[in-house]
């Protein structure tokens, strides 16, 4: 720990790194910190951390922290949570820089300030905005740091001259940190594996120390063994912890909520063609969308750069392992999608910022050997990229803020209309599919007449001419390439968790309105039948609210 404190201190004492990195954090996240929004999951915080839905779906770490330290995580605390998340994320990203610097030195030494570009690409990756809009995203921010610590411990287990007992202790520590990280978000397992491959198999074999007597062991099988033991120990510990929490807090009672684990492989091997379709959709989301979605553009370029770089050194050093490892970095996310049975959501793609940062690290290592002019050009290009990432991230945070303002305005109007013309003491059944207005989410659309869409057709039609149709907007106004910006809290809240509109009732409560929701399934089905059979107008047309004998129907269908 003393060595780690010194290494972190080196980064913090470097004024260029600390000041400029803080400025990047302010530019990338300043709007999100100062303009809070209430969206999906914000209304369900007590459900997650008081009733125990979080550990029930496998994300136990924050639940346990709340229970042990009584941190009132279940209290909604905008601004403070966002600010804390950004601070945690900056430390976590710096820990990754510590890991990479420890691997590279002393054979290749980068000035500390140069890691600013690596950290900046990581911190400002716009895809983080897809998960940052969810409450308690600080679990993701913390997970990055814990995964880096797990890899640092794994690295220490490979130190030359260490006894077996000390190696075992380092592997155990690695497994502990990884277990907690995966308890925040299960996607950190793939971050750990990819990060380990980057650090131990690429940097170490290309730029690391050569001596067997000092530094870290060059034996590939030892790396694989220790990494496997850490992963296996983490998965075992996770299984035991979730079983214990289930017994202690009686989590089996939460079966009434529609938040069950996904079955292994989903329908990949039960439904004909499902596996092929999931692979095609992964190709669309993480490669084809690079035509129109900036963070995926950076991802595709970064992956291509890592593969080409590894191939170059594979030929130069006659080490086939380098090229194979770069291919594994490309393939692993695809395998995760196969195991989950669905294409990995953007909000679960924590490996994407890591890949971009690693590609930049490789660039920095090469620039360090070049002349002043080439360095200047490279640094300028990276600074422009970071600026563009900050701008893109702020764009999506602004869209989320507008989404919230729209949702709050709609629910305020509905509440006032109910209070003005109906018996507000009756429970409410809210139905219909409210869509985010096109004017708000237009940046997530690609026009059918655009050259970008024609390129998408060119890339996908030879594989499946109907594949792109899955991303057509229901309003017919274009092709949708982002996920979170086009999903309304109102659309989610109509049936979230238990098939009732309870989360929209909570949304009302957070804005000063008190209503009850219909919970009887037969009554909800009856309300749907009335809306369908009598062709009830949707919001905000006259008649979008209807009063029955025992309840009120609200139709939020709005296009």
């Amino acid at each position: 720990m003393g060595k780690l404190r010194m290494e972190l201190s080196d980064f913090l004492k470097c004024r260029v790194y600390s000041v400029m990195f803080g400025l990047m954090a302010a530019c990338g996240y300043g709007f999100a910190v100062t303009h809070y929004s209430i969206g999906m999951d914000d209304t369900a915080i007590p459900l997650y951390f008081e009733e125990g839905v979080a550990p029930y779906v496998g994300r136990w770490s924050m639940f346990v922290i709340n229970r042990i330290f009584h941190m009132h995580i279940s209290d909604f605390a905008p601004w403070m949570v966002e600010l804390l998340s950004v601070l945690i994320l900056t430390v976590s990203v710096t820990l990754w820089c510590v890991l990479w610097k420890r691997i590279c030195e002393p054979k290749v030494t980068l000035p500390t300030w140069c890691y600013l570009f690596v950290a900046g690409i990581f911190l400002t990756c716009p895809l983080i905005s897809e998960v940052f809009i969810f409450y308690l995203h600080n679990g993701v921010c913390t997970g990055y740091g814990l995964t880096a610590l797990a890899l640092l411990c794994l690295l220490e287990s490979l130190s030359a001259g260490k006894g077996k007992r000390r190696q075992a202790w380092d592997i155990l520590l690695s497994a502990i940190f990884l277990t907690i990280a995966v308890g925040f978000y299960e996607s950190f397992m793939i971050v750990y594996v990819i990060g380990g491959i980057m650090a131990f198999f690429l940097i170490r074999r290309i730029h690391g120390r050569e001596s067997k007597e000092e530094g870290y062991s060059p034996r590939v099988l030892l790396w694989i063994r220790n990494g496997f033991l850490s992963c296996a120990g983490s998965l075992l510990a996770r299984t035991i912890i979730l079983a214990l929490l289930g017994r202690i807090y009686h989590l089996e009672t939460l079966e009434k909520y529609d938040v069950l684990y996904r079955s292994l492989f989903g329908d990949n091997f039960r439904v004909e063609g499902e596996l092929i379709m999931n692979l095609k959709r992964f190709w669309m989301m993480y490669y084809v969308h690079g035509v129109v979605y900036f963070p995926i553009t950076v991802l595709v370029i970064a992956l291509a750069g890592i593969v080409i770089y590894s191939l170059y050194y594979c030929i130069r050093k006659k080490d086939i392992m380098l090229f194979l490892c770069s291919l594994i970095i490309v393939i692993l996310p695809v395998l995760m999608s196969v195991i989950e049975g669905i294409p990995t959501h953007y909000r679960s793609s924590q490996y994407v910022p890591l890949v971009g940062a690693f590609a930049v690290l490789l660039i920095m290592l090469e620039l360090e050997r070049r002349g002043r002019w080439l360095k200047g050009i490279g640094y300028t290009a990276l600074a422009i990229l970071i600026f563009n990432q900050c701008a893109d991230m702020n764009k999506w945070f602004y869209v989320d803020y507008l989404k919230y303002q729209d949702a709050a305005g709609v629910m305020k109007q509905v509440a006032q209309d109910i209070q003005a013309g109906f018996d507000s003491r009756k429970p409410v059944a809210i139905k219909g599919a409210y869509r985010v207005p096109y004017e708000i989410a237009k940046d997530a659309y690609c026009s059918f007449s655009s050259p970008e869409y024609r390129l998408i057709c060119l890339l996908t039609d030879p594989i499946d001419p109907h594949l792109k149709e899955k991303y057509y907007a229901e309003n017919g106004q274009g092709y949708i390439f982002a996920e979170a910006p086009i999903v309304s809290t109102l659309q989610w809240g109509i049936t979230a968790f238990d098939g009732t509109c309870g989360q929209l009732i909570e949304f009302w409560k957070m804005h000063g309105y008190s209503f009850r929701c219909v919970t009887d399934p037969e009554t909800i089905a009856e309300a749907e039948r009335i809306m369908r059979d009598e062709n009830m107008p949707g919001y905000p047309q006259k008649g979008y609210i209807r009063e029955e004998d025992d309840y009120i129907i609200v139709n939020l269908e709005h296009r």
Side-chain angles (χ1 to χ4, degrees), residues 25 29 56 89 135 151 191 205 208 210 254 344 367 403 530 542:
Y29 297 88
Y56 184 68
L89 184 57
Y135 195 66
L151 287 171
V191 173
R205 293 178 77 87
E210 302 293 343
L254 300 178
T344 306
L367 286 177
K403 278 173 49 183
I530 291 172
K542 184 178 180 180

Side-chain angles (χ1 to χ4, degrees), residues 133-188:
I133 61 175
F134 292 89
Y135 195 66
L136 290 173
H137 40 261
N138 46 17
V140 173
C141 300
T142 307
Y144 276 122
L146 289 169
T147 308
L149 287 173
L151 287 171
L152 283 165
C153 291
L154 182 61
L155 182 63
E156 286 304 303
S157 75
L158 302 169
S159 295
K162 275 204 171 183
K164 291 184 178 179
R165 181 176 297 181
R166 183 60 190 174
Q167 285 184 13
W169 173 247
D170 289 331
I171 294 172
L172 177 61
L173 280 178
S174 177
I176 291 172
F177 284 127
L178 181 59
T179 301
I180 302 172
V182 174
F184 281 115
Y185 223 87
E186 56 277 0
S187 57
F188 282 110

Side-chain angles (χ1 to χ4, degrees), residues 201-202 205 220 224 314 319-326 328:
F201 287 94
L202 289 181
R205 293 178 77 87
V220 173
I224 294 175
C314 167
D319 187 350
I320 190 64
M321 182 65 71
L322 298 175
F323 183 60
L324 291 177
C325 287
S326 68
I328 291 174

Side-chain angles (χ1 to χ4, degrees), residues 42-55:
D42 291 336
T43 59
I45 300 168
L47 193 66
Y48 281 116
F49 300 106
E50 296 299 330
E51 293 195 39
V53 169

